[in-house]
Amino acid sequence: MHFIQRAAAAMTLATPLLLGASAFAQQQSPLKIGLLGDFQSVYSDIGGPGNVEAAKMAIEEMGGTMFGKPIEFISADVQNKPDIAASLARKWYENEGVDMIVDLPTSATALAAMEMSKRFEKIMIVTDAASSDITGKSCSPYTAHWTYDTYSNAHTVGSAIVKNGGDTWFFITADYLFGHSVERDTGEVVKAAGGKVLGSTRHPLNNADFSSFLLQAQSSKAKIIGMANGGGDTINTIKQAAEFGIVAGGQKLAGIVMFISDIHSLGLKMANGLIITEAYYWDLNDRTREFGKKFHDRMKRMPTMNQAATYSATLHYLKAVKAANSKDTKTVLAKMRETPVRDAFTDNGFLREDGRMVHSMFLFEVKKPEESKAPWDYYKMLAEVPGDQAFRPLKDGGCPLVKAE
């Protein structure tokens, strides 16, 4: 009897010691970050290798270590395929000790990987994909959406164009979730402002020939041709529209989701006059210029908003881990939400309960060649749109995590 009592007492004493050892082991295991991106296809220019460098810059800024051990970093190409994104996310979370995954180049890959994030209760920060569904009906308690979304871009660009007389629209749409979301969200803005959507046409991702789609847009007689696509598809649309004389014929192109890398590829002679929205521009203030210069030193080009956001998201995550002194998902997420986002990407950001990181968006007009004073001097700012005006109100997203008031 005494032996049983002694054994029970020993087990009682051992329990907190075991729990302490477990917590200690977790603290001592290396922090590991994974990046799932597009390195060879239509979105590699706006994210890709630049996102890798941006994440590394954040890790270096934090000293490169956490819990006394080097922070580990891995990356992989999802080939813009949801099944590959889900498979890699599962492997990394389940078997390779990855604590956080960042990037995700398309909405479909993001939503697929988010399912693994939920299953394994690990953090994911989406910096490239754009669908507003990520923080809407498909929101997750473990996912943050950092850079922009189809709602913010539609409201920033779409409403400005309609106010300036562009009240009839035709969409050239990438035929997958991202394109559909851009067309839907922008169409709603146009209609709410009193405009009309005359029609749309859909093309495959990473398309080469836009002639049939442009002819449909031309014959619609719409004042505005909304490009509900991104990256290389947007560049090809604009180049081929010039060949068809669409802008010369009186119609205007609306770049709903465009990046400084797109303007660089097109050149100011072709891109000047475009009205676009971005979350970041290297020449906004001293902090954006400092980050832009450091990035340029490494990549020989200025960062896109996605690349600046990948730096920001990685840095904010690392700061939260350090402040919490823990890798525990819920503890770190709570710290991320209670801490304002203040860095080279934004000076007024905060993370909402639906996963949306809210911050200012900017409306720009692309400069004429003679207005540009230096390489990458491409934009003149028309307006700064506060985050509470640019992003969808929390109550309107349909996110199941948001409690009804």
Side-chain angles (χ1 to χ4, degrees):
M1 187 71 178
H2 290 298
F3 173 77
I4 294 172
Q5 287 175 331
R6 284 198 300 272
M11 287 184 68
T12 303
L13 287 169
T15 301
L17 292 172
L18 287 168
L19 288 172
S22 173
F24 180 80
Q26 186 211 53
Q27 295 261 324
Q28 295 305 301
S29 62
L31 186 71
K32 194 168 185 177
I33 293 172
L35 184 146
L36 291 174
D38 175 357
F39 296 106
Q40 301 179 62
S41 189
V42 66
Y43 299 127
S44 59
D45 216 25
I46 61 179
N51 277 356
V52 170
E53 284 304 312
K56 288 179 178 178
M57 288 170 72
I59 292 168
E60 289 167 16
E61 190 169 320
M62 291 296 291
T65 63
M66 194 69 66
F67 313 130
K69 294 194 174 185
I71 297 166
E72 296 182 4
F73 178 80
I74 58 173
S75 61
D77 192 337
V78 296
Q79 301 171 46
N80 294 334
K81 295 178 179 177
D83 58 331
I84 293 177
S87 175
L88 283 167
R90 175 173 187 154
K91 178 185 171 189
W92 284 2
Y93 285 140
E94 187 175 28
N95 301 321
E96 299 196 15
V98 170
D99 299 293
M100 186 273 279
I101 294 176
V102 68
D103 191 347
L104 282 304
T106 70
S107 300
T109 57
L111 291 169
M114 282 168 64
E115 289 303 310
M116 296 301 113
S117 166
K118 280 192 279 190
R119 181 181 300 185
F120 295 101
E121 299 186 354
K122 293 287 189 78
I123 295 172
M124 177 166 289
I125 310 180
V126 178
T127 56
D128 275 33
S131 175
S132 57
D133 289 350
I134 290 168
T135 55
K137 63 183 182 181
S138 300
C139 71
S140 161
Y142 308 109
T143 296
H145 199 187
W146 214 256
T147 316
Y148 66 108
D149 61 29
T150 51
Y151 183 100
S152 68
N153 284 36
H155 278 71
T156 306
V157 174
S159 58
I161 290 172
V162 175
K163 283 176 187 173
N164 287 313
D167 55 3
T168 56
W169 287 61
F170 185 94
F171 289 98
I172 295 178
T173 303
D175 194 12
Y176 75 107
L177 180 61
F178 159 68
H180 302 167
S181 298
V182 172
E183 181 184 328
R184 176 196 67 205
D185 290 349
T186 310
E188 287 175 0
V189 169
V190 170
K191 292 169 191 171
K196 292 181 180 178
V197 175
L198 304 184
S200 67
T201 183
R202 293 181 172 179
H203 67 81
L205 177 65
N206 205 7
N207 191 55
D209 182 5
F210 283 85
S211 55
S212 64
F213 310 113
L214 286 163
L215 285 170
Q216 290 179 63
Q218 196 172 36
S219 64
S220 75
K221 306 295 185 189
K223 293 178 185 176
I224 305 296
I225 299 172
M227 295 177 290
N229 52 22
D233 285 332
T234 302
I235 292 169
N236 283 335
T237 305
I238 294 170
K239 286 180 176 177
Q240 291 173 38
E243 293 169 11
F244 279 89
I246 283 176
V247 175
Q251 291 173 295
K252 292 184 179 179
L253 302 175
I256 304 161
V257 179
M258 289 195 73
F259 302 83
I260 196 168
S261 53
D262 299 333
I263 307 305
H264 189 70
S265 296
L266 289 163
L268 293 182
K269 188 175 179 182
M270 187 173 289
N272 79 85
L274 278 172
I275 306 296
I276 64 174
T277 185
E278 294 237 36
Y280 164 93
Y281 176 46
W282 71 269
D283 201 18
L284 283 174
N285 56 52
D286 289 343
R287 281 198 291 187
T288 59
R289 282 187 283 273
E290 182 184 3
F291 176 75
K293 183 181 183 303
K294 286 180 181 177
F295 186 91
H296 190 278
D297 288 344
R298 298 168 78 129
M299 297 296 294
K300 308 308 174 192
R301 59 192 295 129
M302 284 298 178
T304 65
M305 63 172 163
N306 289 2
Q307 290 157 351
T310 299
Y311 157 82
S312 169
T314 306
L315 185 67
H316 194 71
Y317 168 76
L318 291 172
K319 286 178 177 177
V321 171
K322 186 173 183 179
N325 195 32
S326 171
K327 300 196 302 179
D328 176 72
T329 296
K330 291 178 181 176
T331 305
V332 172
L333 278 169
K335 191 63 69 174
M336 288 174 69
R337 289 195 174 98
E338 72 183 42
T339 308
V341 183
R342 304 283 187 271
D343 52 39
F345 175 72
T346 183
D347 58 8
N348 56 25
F350 66 93
L351 184 60
R352 279 190 330 205
E353 61 191 281
D354 62 348
R356 177 69 258 165
M357 202 278 275
V358 178
H359 52 81
S360 289
M361 296 291 291
F362 301 93
L363 191 68
F364 297 113
E365 182 178 339
V366 179
K367 291 182 174 181
K368 296 174 183 175
E370 60 270 22
E371 293 175 319
S372 178
K373 307 301 181 190
W376 298 94
D377 176 24
Y378 293 160
Y379 296 156
K380 46 188 175 185
M381 190 166 72
L382 301 179
E384 177 176 351
V385 183
D388 60 354
Q389 295 177 31
F391 290 98
R392 180 177 55 208
L394 186 62
K395 63 182 177 58
D396 295 343
C399 171
L401 303 174
V402 177
K403 297 178 181 67
E405 294 181 358

